[in-house]
Structures are given as structure tokens and as C-alpha cells.
Amino acid sequence: MQNKFRKLFYRYANGWTVILLLLALLIGLPIYTLLFKLFDGNSSGEVWSHLVDTVLANYIVNSVGLVIVVSILTLLIGVSSAWVVSVCDIPFRRHFEWVLILPLAIPSYIAAYTYAGIFDYTGPIQTFLRDNGWIGVQYIDIMNFWGIAVVMSLVLFPYVYVVARSSFINQSATLLEASRILGSSSTKTFFKIALPITRPAIIGGLSLVLMEVLNDYGAVKYFGINTFTTGIFRAWFSLGDPGAAINLSGILMLFIFMLISVERWQRGKNVLDEGGHTGRHLKRYQLKGWKKVAAWLICFIPLFLGFIAPVFQLILWSAQTIHKIINPDFMMLMLNSFGLALMAAFLCVAISLVILYAVRINPSPFFKLLSKLVSLGYSIPGAVIAIGIMIPMLGFDKILIEFWSNTFDTKIGLIFSGTLFALTFAYVVRFLTVAINPIDAAFKKHSNSMDEAAHSLGAGSIKTLWKVNLPLIKSALVSGGILVFVDILKELPLTLILRPFNFHTLATKAYELASDEMVAESATPSLIIILIGVVPIILLNRLMKTPSKDGSIIDKKP
């Protein structure tokens, strides 16, 4: 036993192992902090008892209700539109294939502000109705639970659409053709064959939707819906009770881990064979009459409501107010936003590269598990990560302030908490997995034989990484950096909690203007966020090309 342990120690005792362990400890700090605080017995108090007695049930009902309603709507929109563009011949089908991903570029809080303005009493909808004689129409109220559920679904359904379309495209043409030969209609083929095979992938996309719903703060806050995220903000800022915020964060983390567990269980339980390779082409359904119109509307309506309408309204508002917004302060705001996002994106890519290369050198189950643990940040809502970082940062600052005061008899301010250091660290924890995924996929495409050849020629691990691996995965590094950059520009709850005093990003500025009933003025920063958010969608579209250019589905399974 001792000899076996000694062999393992000498095999894995290297600098990369030490770096991987340190990064795992550092990046997991927010989770460790929250778990420790939850069980230290000091997180319960009068404020928490008050929240339990008054609003906790409301937080649970609203959060679970949003999860259920948004799940149903995104499944209906995403799966139906994916099926139509995958197997039906409709006008502008090849355009619908990628433009249906565009709503993903609009953060839910921006969509919420925009639709609230569109349906406002002085907005275009009600103004048009009154001007055309609809005197009885006084107010169309969407500022409620159902309104926010619909708005969220309109911008989050592409998560389901992307995975469903990819799965439909790559399904066996043999199975679908056999169903057609046996006389099954397209509807029966969909429910009996295509949907069951696609279900694990759809559940995976749906889990991303639900995490976005539970992470949201700006949209639910603006619509006045109390959820766990708004409760965390209220407990921390309004009530000044970190213990209550920690307890709410713990319950929210439990919800998230339950979702992850269900998704993993569902994916593992439904390993289905999609059929073998035949080389056959499955011609698309040639729809006619009202069926063709209905199929076209299934694709156009979500695109119009989820992207065209809100962006068009934002453009109109921006044209009216841009002269008030564009000034030296706004240019500095953009510089701050882009600079912070670039720095955090660079750190995410660099840390991801180190972690994955360390696992590549030490391919043991333990190190692979560590790499999975450091990727949990994206599954955890931003407000929870912010609380988990703020608490230890405040503790470090308190120790440093006392030490400096006792040693040098002078006072210093906060060094870690409330600074760009804490905010950047939080971004790395939250979005590290966004960079890890494309880099990990790129590493897996190249065998270890090239690394072994470099080592046999006398190259060390660092030189091998620099000379062999980096040139092969540079496109994945750029893609990962772009994805992280865009996600950071859109992030709101984490930034609101950890940003330095009077420091704004495009997201927080849009949120502040909309909260101050200056929705039109928030259009310009919102449009910049959306425009930049379109970039990864274009990249995603290049990765999701239809297998056949002649309009048929080709079975590509080996």
C-alpha cells in the first residue's frame, strides 16, 4: 500500500499539480465560504426569522413558478421552431436557421425594460390603439408574473432551439424515412421518433434556461416579482443582514444543484441509438396552403417578438436620446466596461489553459474531478457568487486594517472588498467554465502522441505547451475569450453587488437609467450590449451548418 502511494506521489508530484490544487482552492472560495457560513450556526437571527414568516414562501412560489412557466414556453417555442427549420421546406428557411438564435443576444433585463416601455400608457401600442378609436383601452398591464415569464421565454428559447435543431439535424435519416414509408404523418413522426431521441439534449438546453431564470435580477426587480435573487439583494443591502442573505443563497444553491442532478440523471438514463449510417437523404416536407403559413409563423413570431420588435424600439429610443447619452462620461463608461471585460476574459482563458493542461499531464480521476469542480461557477447565480466573495474579502480587509493600524499607527481603506480586484475575481469564478468548454474540446481533438513526441525530443512541459499545443488550439482560445467577454458585458447582479462605489458598466448603467424611469435613455447602452452579443451568435452559426446544401438531411452517424 505504501509503495503504491509512493508511486502515485512521485508520478503526480509536479508544479502543474500544485498549480491545479491552488486554483481549485481559490476558485472554489465562494462555495466553501457559503457552505461554512451555512453550518457555523451564526447565520440565523431576527431578520431571517422575519423573512421566513413573511416573504420566504413568496420567494419560493415565484421562483418555482417562473421555472415551470418559462420551461413550458421555451420548450414549445424552441422545439417547434427547431423541428420546422430542420425538416420542413418553408420560405427563408436557411435564414431562420441562424436568425432564430439572435434573441439570445438580448439580456432578459433589457427585454423587460423594453417591453415595459412598449406597453406603457404612453408607449407605441397603447398610443396607436387610442389614436385609432380604441377609447376603451386604458392600460395593458404586463408588469406582473405572467408578463415577465413571457418576456423571459422570448429571449431564452434559443438555448432549447440550438440543441434541439442540432439533434434533429444529426438524427438518423433511416429512422425518419422508415416512419414516413409506414404512413406516419410528420406530427406522429415527431412525437413517436424524433422527440424521444432528442429529449436528453433538450433537457440539457432547458437546464441552461432555468439557470438563467434563477440568476436574473434586473428583469424580476423591474417587474416587481419577488424571487430568491431579489431577496438576497434585499437582505444584504436593505436589511443589512449577511446571515439572511447567506441562508437565501444556500436555498438557491440547493435548487441549482437539484436541477443539475436531474439533468445529469436524465442524460445518463436516456442513451438512445439514433441509427446507423446509410448515406440516404431525407427530403424535407413540402408543406402547402395553411400548413406552410403556420410553419412559417412558428419561426417568424418568436423571432419578431424576441428580437426584431425590441431592437427596433431600442433603435427608435436611442435615436431620440443619444445626444443626451453620448458624452465624455459615457465614453469613459465604455472604456471601463470593455477594459474590465477584456482583463477578466484574458484571465479566464489563461486559467482555463493552465487547468486543462495540468489535467492533460496528470490524467487521473482526481484531477479531472478538480477541473469539474472549478467549472461549477457558471451554474451558480451571480448574486450567490458575489455574497460568497464579499464575505471573505471583508474578512481579509478587516485583518489587514487592524494589522496596519497596530503596526504603523495609520489607517488604510478597503483593499480587496469593493474594488475592481474583487469584481474581476468574481467574473473569473462565474465565467471560467465558458472558457473551459471550447478549450477542452480543442484539446480532445489532438492526441497525446504529439506531446509525447515533444517530450522525447527533450522539450519540457512548458515548451511543449507553448510550441505544440497553443498553435493547435489558438482558435479555441479566441472563441473562449469572446464568449467570456460578451457574458461579462451582460452580467448584472454580480456587478451590482461587487462594483466599486460610483463605478458603472454598460449593464449597470442601463439598469440604473431604466430604474429611474429613463427607459428611452437606457436604449443606447442596451443596444451596444446587444450588438456585441450578436458576435458569438455568428460564431455559433458557423459551427451549426446544415449537413446538406441541397435541402436534405444527411445521416452523418458513423
Side-chain angles (χ1 to χ4, degrees):
M1 186 70 180
Q2 291 182 350
N3 291 333
K4 185 177 180 180
F5 178 79
R6 188 180 295 109
K7 288 180 180 179
L8 289 174
F9 176 79
Y10 285 120
R11 180 180 178 182
Y12 297 116
N14 53 56
W16 294 102
T17 299
V18 175
I19 293 173
L20 180 59
L21 290 173
L22 290 176
L23 287 175
L25 289 172
L26 185 63
I27 295 171
L29 180 63
I31 299 177
Y32 309 147
T33 300
L34 288 174
L35 291 176
F36 175 76
K37 288 291 184 180
L38 280 171
F39 297 106
D40 69 352
N42 297 321
S43 56
S44 300
E46 293 183 2
V47 173
W48 173 244
S49 299
H50 172 71
L51 292 178
V52 171
D53 294 337
T54 55
V55 295
L56 181 59
N58 187 240
Y59 293 160
I60 295 175
V61 170
N62 287 337
S63 297
V64 174
L66 277 178
V67 163
I68 294 173
V69 176
V70 174
S71 296
I72 294 173
L73 292 177
T74 52
L75 284 174
L76 290 174
I77 299 171
V79 176
S80 61
S81 57
W83 176 250
V84 168
V85 299
S86 298
V87 303
C88 298
D89 186 17
I90 60 173
F92 306 106
R93 178 191 59 80
R94 297 195 65 82
H95 296 90
F96 278 130
E97 286 181 350
W98 72 273
V99 296
L100 278 169
I101 313 175
L102 290 177
L104 207 59
I106 305 181
S108 55
Y109 57 89
I110 291 178
Y113 306 152
T114 307
Y115 269 104
I118 290 175
F119 284 93
D120 188 65
Y121 184 79
T122 58
I125 299 294
Q126 297 199 58
T127 300
F128 173 80
L129 293 175
R130 290 194 301 271
D131 291 345
N132 287 273
W134 291 75
I135 306 299
V137 178
Q138 296 297 321
Y139 187 63
I140 302 175
D141 183 21
I142 68 165
M143 303 287 287
N144 51 46
F145 174 88
W146 298 105
I148 193 59
V150 172
V151 170
M152 282 186 170
S153 302
L154 289 173
V155 295
L156 293 178
F157 81 85
Y159 281 115
V160 175
Y161 165 79
V162 166
V163 295
R165 180 194 156 209
S166 178
S167 185
F168 288 144
I169 287 174
N170 290 291
Q171 279 183 6
S172 171
T174 306
L175 291 175
L176 302 180
E177 187 181 54
S179 175
R180 183 180 298 182
I181 292 173
L182 292 173
S184 296
S185 64
S186 59
T187 303
K188 190 173 182 180
T189 299
F190 170 75
F191 283 106
K192 294 293 185 179
I193 297 179
L195 188 59
I197 294 176
T198 313
R199 185 172 59 189
I202 293 175
I203 296 299
L206 183 62
S207 66
L208 295 176
V209 173
L210 302 186
M211 290 175 191
E212 290 293 333
V213 171
L214 294 175
N215 177 62
D216 181 80
Y217 171 74
V220 292
K221 174 67 174 177
Y222 192 77
F223 272 56
I225 307 299
N226 291 323
T227 63
F228 278 108
T229 309
T230 61
I232 292 170
F233 271 80
R234 181 189 177 199
W236 185 271
F237 289 105
S238 300
L239 302 178
D241 192 321
I246 290 169
N247 287 336
L248 290 173
S249 300
I251 298 175
L252 185 52
M253 283 178 61
L254 181 61
F255 269 103
I256 295 294
F257 288 137
M258 287 174 60
L259 288 175
I260 295 174
S261 300
V262 169
E263 189 271 332
R264 295 285 173 86
W265 173 80
Q266 164 74 14
R267 185 170 55 185
K269 196 175 180 63
N270 291 275
V271 180
L272 300 175
D273 183 14
E274 295 182 8
H277 174 68
T278 64
R280 293 180 180 270
H281 291 198
L282 177 69
K283 293 298 181 181
R284 299 181 180 277
Y285 290 100
Q286 302 298 317
L287 303 178
K288 296 180 180 180
W290 69 268
K291 291 184 178 180
K292 191 171 187 177
V293 174
W296 188 84
L297 288 175
I298 286 174
C299 298
F300 178 75
I301 291 176
L303 173 65
F304 178 79
L305 296 178
F307 187 80
I308 297 175
V311 169
F312 181 73
Q313 183 61 68
L314 287 172
I315 291 173
L316 293 179
W317 283 336
S318 180
Q320 298 169 3
T321 61
I322 192 170
H323 63 281
K324 303 177 184 178
I325 299 299
I326 301 299
N327 52 44
D329 291 338
F330 186 79
M331 301 308 294
M332 183 59 65
L333 166 77
M334 289 184 60
L335 182 63
N336 290 340
S337 300
F338 291 163
L340 185 62
L342 280 173
M343 180 171 61
F346 174 79
L347 289 174
C348 284
V349 170
I351 294 173
S352 299
L353 181 63
V354 171
I355 291 173
L356 293 173
Y357 191 66
V359 174
R360 187 178 178 88
I361 291 177
N362 304 312
S364 70
F366 174 70
F367 293 121
K368 291 180 180 178
L369 177 62
L370 284 181
S371 68
K372 298 295 183 182
L373 290 177
V374 299
S375 303
L376 286 176
Y378 194 69
S379 305
I380 302 174
V384 176
I385 290 178
I387 298 298
I389 288 177
M390 180 65 78
I391 292 173
M393 292 295 179
L394 288 171
F396 294 152
D397 278 337
K398 183 178 179 181
I399 294 173
L400 286 175
I401 290 172
E402 290 181 357
F403 171 78
W404 197 269
S405 177
N406 295 333
T407 305
F408 302 102
D409 197 25
T410 56
K411 295 182 178 180
I412 59 173
L414 298 175
I415 298 175
F416 294 109
S417 55
T419 64
L420 291 179
F421 173 84
L423 184 56
T424 304
F425 176 53
Y427 284 147
V428 171
V429 174
R430 176 90 168 90
F431 299 111
L432 184 64
T433 187
V434 178
I436 282 179
N437 288 337
I439 299 174
D440 186 34
F443 265 127
K444 289 179 178 178
K445 290 181 180 179
H446 307 289
S447 66
N448 291 331
S449 59
M450 289 181 289
D451 296 39
E452 295 169 358
H455 294 324
S456 65
L457 293 173
S461 58
I462 296 179
K463 190 173 182 179
T464 301
L465 173 63
W466 184 260
K467 294 291 186 179
V468 178
N469 291 280
L470 282 183
L472 294 173
I473 65 170
K474 58 183 179 181
S475 60
L477 298 177
V478 174
S479 299
I482 291 174
L483 292 173
V484 174
F485 178 84
V486 173
D487 274 344
I488 289 174
L489 284 183
K490 296 191 295 184
E491 175 62 31
L492 181 63
L494 186 152
T495 309
L496 284 174
I497 293 178
L498 292 176
R499 62 181 174 141
F501 177 74
N502 207 28
F503 180 88
H504 281 291
T505 64
L506 289 169
T508 60
K509 190 64 177 178
Y511 167 79
E512 182 182 75
L513 290 171
S515 299
D516 292 339
E517 300 303 324
M518 301 172 67
V519 178
E521 285 76 5
S522 71
T524 299
S526 299
L527 279 175
I528 295 173
I529 294 174
I530 294 171
L531 181 63
I532 295 173
V534 171
V535 174
I537 290 175
I538 296 174
L539 294 176
L540 180 62
N541 177 60
R542 291 184 178 181
L543 298 175
M544 287 188 56
K545 292 181 179 179
T546 304
S548 174
K549 294 183 179 180
D550 63 1
S552 60
I553 300 175
I554 300 177
D555 180 9
K556 296 180 64 180
K557 299 297 289 183

